[in-house]
Amino acid sequence: MKPLTHFDAAGHAHMVDIHGKDPTHRVALAHGTIVMQPETLALITQGNAKKGDVIGIARIAAIQGAKRTSDLIPLCHPIALTRVAVEFEVDTNNHSVHCTATAECTGKTGVEMEALCAVQVGLLTIYDMCKAADRGMVITDVRLLEKHGGKSGDWVAG
């Protein structure tokens, strides 16, 4: 197992030094789900949610979440993202909404945290907009699906 990179030799937390790395094209894909009551999903899909277009607002929030990752996660580097794409899929069989986010940059460090943050913020926005109807919604299975680029190369979830 590789050592944790966010700690120095004395065990103190630090931001990883990336000054000697070459910029490369980097891509990360993350996914997650929010499960709810069938009636709550109907409010979303029929456009009857009291606060408006839930999926549209969640998409903007997810993109904003990716852009603000370094403000939320203390040791993340600020990254000049070149693209963030967010897709939502309504799953009526499982009364849920799936969120997939892709983050890209050309830089010295990866965009995994940005993709994961986008998914979380998008799903949290759905929760926030629908909580008056259903406080029992569950955000689940948020994970990295793949990452490409950088010194460590490609990684795809098994």
Side-chain angles (χ1 to χ4, degrees):
M1 182 164 240
K2 293 181 180 181
L4 299 177
T5 57
H6 286 92
F7 295 97
D8 63 18
H12 299 117
H14 71 102
M15 184 181 256
V16 175
D17 182 0
I18 60 171
H19 85 275
K21 289 183 165 186
D22 292 325
T24 62
H25 180 240
R26 295 163 183 268
V27 181
L29 181 72
H31 182 268
T33 300
I34 186 166
V35 182
M36 61 198 68
Q37 296 297 318
E39 298 81 12
T40 309
L41 187 61
L43 288 173
I44 293 171
T45 59
Q46 294 167 6
N48 295 331
K50 198 172 193 178
K51 295 184 180 181
D53 177 10
V54 173
I55 299 297
I57 293 168
R59 179 175 287 107
I60 298 301
I63 293 166
Q64 189 66 21
K67 292 168 55 177
R68 300 295 300 261
T69 299
S70 66
D71 292 334
L72 300 169
I73 310 297
L75 301 177
C76 280
H77 291 85
I79 293 179
L81 293 166
T82 56
R83 182 172 88 97
V84 177
V86 180
E87 297 300 325
F88 289 93
E89 178 189 347
V90 173
D91 181 349
T92 54
N93 292 333
N94 296 303
H95 43 277
S96 59
V97 177
H98 306 288
C99 177
T100 304
T102 304
E104 292 189 46
C105 79
T106 299
K108 295 182 175 196
T109 190
V111 289
E112 296 96 313
M113 295 306 298
E114 286 71 14
L116 287 163
C117 195
V119 168
Q120 289 283 31
V121 171
L123 296 175
L124 284 168
T125 299
I126 292 172
Y127 186 96
D128 179 52
M129 294 186 72
C130 297
K131 70 182 180 279
D134 183 0
R135 293 195 189 274
M137 292 175 282
V138 176
I139 295 172
T140 185
D141 299 327
V142 175
R143 68 189 196 122
L144 184 68
L145 296 179
E146 40 185 278
K147 71 79 103 187
H148 303 281
K151 184 178 173 184
S152 63
D154 297 342
W155 179 87
V156 177

